[in-house]
Amino acid sequence: MTSPFVPLPAAAPSTEGTDAAGILRFIEAVEAHPDHEPHGLMILRRGRVIAQGWWAPYTRERRQLVYSLSKSFTSAAAGLLYDDGLLDLDRPVVSFFPEFADEITDPRSRGILVRHVASMATGHRDDMYDIAFGADPAEPVRGFLLHPPEEEPGSVFAYNQPATYTLAAIVQRLAGRRLVDLLRERVLDPIGAGELRWMQQPAGRDLGYSGSFMTTDTVARLGQLLLQRGEWAGRRILSEEWVRMATSPQVSTAGNWGNGPDSDWTQGYGFQHWMARHGFRGDGAWGQYCVVLPEHDAVVALQGQIPDMQGLLDLMWEHVLPAFGSAGTAEDDARLAAHLADAVLPAAAVDTAELSDADAAAWDGSEFVAARRGGADARVDRVGTGWRLVLTTAGGRVGAGFEPGRGWTVSDDAGPAVAVSGGFVSSTSLQLDVAFLETPHRLHVTLERPADDGDRIGEVTTRWETEPLHGADPATLTAPRD
């Protein structure tokens, strides 16, 4: 059971030696960038929250899928067992899986150690996800180890999802329970973090490399724990030794994820943490960040839909770092707080049209078939003064109300939590944006009703702003339920 939520201590930026005007310039630059859609932001300095905000329809309380930022939590779980003396970094991975150990005959596969999967230095040149999960979906570790690395373990870096999955599987075997349960008792509750949910494969085994859902606040608290070298309110959570190893370079990443010193993907990799041009970080696809800046005693936690992840970091270095150089004014503090308090994502960019009573009646109860195989079918109904959209897929249903031309309408009533904006662009065309609030993703939906109302069957076209990585069925874009 999670502990009651207690907010982190807060302070005005100027009282913590920070120029709020610089933070505001960062936020405005993010909002103005065509590829950046922020959902939640928290900036901590000297252990206090100096800036926080959520762009409606996203909220403080909502868990959101953080993709590979999950790896930072897997690292914390591994650190607990390392501190307990249970996890030997120099023990061969295959020794943890005696049920198929005899099948693993290649010397390089047998030479992969725990420290190699922890640091993505297994000797493979590429991500082994498709091979590992394709070879044995029921036991991806076996599929991973059956494919020998091209180089000696420890010699090269490759961003490799099965490496983290294998580390997580080892931790769960040693702990005798799921990662979420281990983390809840020994990390999340002690630091006051909120609920964390994790996708599994197979059932009972948390993915480790991705698939966890959490609030921005939980991301920020983990960053602060790492900044404090594993200590929280006078209590030792992780050893200083583990935090030092996890957040310092264990393997070079030069030439892998960038072409020069200005790339934040060429600064080295620790134990499930990236080194950066400034400090270190965990991050996840489409714009999930936990950036820790020890030299400034600061943490930046950000969730969003941001394809250009290096671009976001560039803006952070341009605006946020200088802001830590000098205290601003109380007036700048107030401007920043007001901006974040009123933050709203732009609604669907459509020019709405007024429907006649006859056209509204024709839309009421209309059904739509997917324009492509495997897509979503749809239905539109009049509900009071508003409307309701229902998308039906192989995975289930997504139900959502909407008010044409009136911004975002949030719905939690059927399937995933969503917010909808948009409206009728003509008597026969409806365009909507559906934001899936437990994920970074937004779906563009266009419904075309035939001018001839004889059969009342139209066509629905859907397009993702960013493609979900754990399956693109809209009905499945929600946190796992216990």
Side-chain angles (χ1 to χ4, degrees):
M1 180 176 295
T2 60
S3 302
F5 176 73
V6 177
L8 290 165
S14 61
T15 66
E16 300 302 327
T18 306
D19 181 7
I23 303 296
L24 183 56
R25 283 192 292 272
F26 166 69
I27 293 168
E28 290 174 334
V30 173
E31 293 173 327
H33 195 289
D35 293 331
H36 295 345
E37 181 183 287
H39 295 164
L41 171 69
M42 294 180 69
I43 300 178
L44 283 61
R45 191 159 201 218
R46 301 171 183 168
R48 293 175 173 81
V49 180
I50 59 170
Q52 61 182 337
W54 288 264
W55 281 255
Y58 289 85
T59 60
R60 175 199 303 269
E61 299 81 13
R62 185 81 67 180
R63 294 184 304 270
Q64 186 170 321
L65 174 63
V66 298
Y67 284 116
S68 284
L69 184 50
S70 307
K71 293 180 174 71
S72 296
F73 289 80
T74 298
S75 176
L80 294 172
L81 298 194
Y82 176 82
D83 295 341
D84 291 343
L86 297 175
L87 185 65
D88 181 351
L89 294 176
D90 293 313
R91 180 176 167 183
V93 165
V94 70
S95 68
F96 292 93
F97 303 92
E99 66 272 28
F100 56 76
D102 290 345
E103 299 178 67
I104 312 304
T105 58
D106 184 87
R108 285 179 175 170
S109 291
R110 296 189 68 86
I112 298 173
L113 308 179
V114 172
R115 67 171 63 252
H116 298 146
V117 293
S119 60
M120 303 277 195
T122 62
H124 295 95
R125 294 175 184 156
D126 300 296
D127 187 1
M128 299 297 295
Y129 178 85
D130 289 339
I131 291 173
F133 283 80
D136 193 342
E139 182 45 274
V141 176
R142 176 178 173 272
F144 174 54
L145 293 176
L146 282 173
H147 192 90
E150 298 86 355
E151 308 291 344
E152 289 297 322
S155 64
V156 296
F157 169 85
Y159 195 65
N160 197 343
Q161 308 292 6
T164 310
Y165 179 89
T166 298
L167 176 65
I170 292 170
V171 170
Q172 292 190 171
R173 287 205 166 190
L174 290 175
R177 51 181 168 160
R178 292 179 55 195
L179 292 181
V180 289
D181 297 328
L182 175 65
L183 288 167
R184 168 57 52 207
E185 176 187 343
R186 297 185 56 183
V187 176
L188 301 177
D189 277 351
I191 68 175
E195 187 179 28
L196 184 151
R197 300 287 181 90
W198 218 318
M199 298 172 66
Q200 301 176 8
Q201 184 180 348
R205 182 184 290 175
D206 298 331
L207 283 183
Y209 66 88
S210 184
S212 65
F213 295 72
M214 66 192 70
T215 64
T216 319
D217 179 87
T218 295
V219 175
R221 288 175 193 255
L222 180 70
Q224 187 65 31
L225 175 66
L226 297 174
L227 179 64
Q228 294 168 181
R229 293 296 178 184
E231 187 174 282
W232 192 275
R235 177 178 176 180
R236 175 59 60 185
I237 308 297
L238 292 167
S239 70
E240 188 168 355
E241 179 188 13
W242 176 262
V243 174
R244 176 186 56 76
M245 290 190 299
T247 62
S248 60
Q250 299 294 326
V251 61
S252 171
T253 58
N256 283 270
W257 280 57
N259 297 315
D262 290 336
S263 169
D264 282 288
W265 276 267
T266 61
Q267 309 302 315
Y269 198 76
F271 291 154
Q272 304 299 302
H273 295 278
W274 289 99
M275 305 305 103
R277 284 179 286 166
H278 306 277
F280 59 89
R281 72 188 195 282
D283 58 33
W286 305 129
Q288 326 313 315
Y289 299 85
C290 180
V291 179
V292 181
L293 303 166
E295 66 270 35
H296 298 291
D297 198 2
V299 174
V300 180
L302 189 147
Q303 293 172 303
Q305 182 178 226
I306 300 172
D308 182 7
M309 295 186 66
Q310 180 63 66
L312 187 286
L313 290 170
D314 291 341
L315 291 177
M316 193 179 297
W317 308 147
E318 179 181 355
H319 298 291
V320 176
L321 290 186
F324 294 141
S326 62
T329 66
E331 290 78 12
D332 289 332
D333 293 343
R335 278 191 286 271
L336 172 61
H339 185 99
L340 286 170
D342 294 334
V344 179
L345 290 183
V350 301
D351 295 324
T352 57
E354 292 290 334
L355 294 183
S356 67
D357 290 343
D359 287 331
W363 274 97
D364 187 15
S366 291
E367 297 183 349
F368 303 82
V369 297
R372 60 177 176 80
R373 188 178 206 139
D377 296 332
R379 179 183 172 95
V380 174
D381 293 293
R382 190 76 180 266
V383 181
T385 60
W387 294 84
R388 178 176 170 79
L389 169 73
V390 176
L391 299 174
T392 302
T393 71
R397 298 167 66 241
V398 179
F402 64 95
E403 298 278 346
R406 295 188 181 179
W408 294 101
T409 302
V410 177
S411 298
D412 291 280
D413 56 341
V418 297
V420 181
S421 66
F424 299 98
V425 297
S426 73
S427 62
T428 60
S429 183
L430 172 62
Q431 293 183 13
L432 301 171
D433 278 3
V434 183
F436 287 77
L437 298 178
E438 291 188 324
T439 81
H441 302 293
R442 186 188 295 208
L443 185 67
H444 303 290
V445 181
T446 300
L447 303 105
E448 299 289 346
R449 184 180 64 81
D452 179 2
D453 299 330
D455 58 11
R456 298 170 67 86
I457 301 294
E459 185 176 78
V460 54
T461 303
T462 56
R463 178 180 62 83
W464 289 106
E465 181 77 20
T466 53
E467 187 80 14
L469 302 183
H470 293 297
D473 187 325
T476 65
L477 293 187
T478 184
R481 307 303 186 214
D482 288 340

